[in-house]
Amino acid sequence: AVLEVMEAVTIEPDEVSFNSALTACATGEQWEQAMKLLWQMEHRGRSPTIMGFGAAVNACSKAGCWEQAFHLLLLMRARQVAPN
């Protein structure tokens, strides 16, 4: 919701904004929203960092979505983002 408000007032979300939203998704076990946020980042020309990917993996694993978490780990590897 915060990212949508930022867009409404023509503030472009940056990596910090996306990472904060992704961390909130992990806390709330909102894996689907986390996946959407990663897609939005890429759609806007922003490459997810280890923090963004890590939060999305965490959201997936907390929600019990191990296949999605594994897919993200494979994507990180393909993009040469080393997991921590």
Side-chain angles (χ1 to χ4, degrees):
V2 172
L3 295 178
E4 292 168 357
V5 171
M6 290 176 73
E7 292 172 353
V9 295
T10 64
I11 298 173
E12 182 68 25
D14 60 8
E15 284 81 8
V16 173
S17 303
F18 277 109
N19 288 341
S20 296
L22 285 162
T23 299
C25 289
T27 301
E29 300 178 18
Q30 298 294 316
W31 71 272
E32 291 171 318
Q33 184 63 32
M35 298 296 274
K36 288 177 187 176
L37 285 170
L38 285 178
W39 180 85
Q40 286 179 2
M41 281 185 82
E42 293 188 344
H43 183 71
R44 294 168 182 266
R46 305 207 182 272
S47 297
T49 63
I50 183 63
M51 290 184 68
F53 273 121
V57 167
N58 195 13
C60 291
S61 64
K62 282 184 175 184
C65 299
W66 297 104
E67 289 180 12
Q68 288 81 2
F70 183 69
H71 171 76
L72 288 174
L73 290 171
L74 292 176
L75 184 60
M76 289 172 65
R77 184 179 204 179
R79 297 199 179 158
Q80 299 179 347
V81 177
N84 57 2

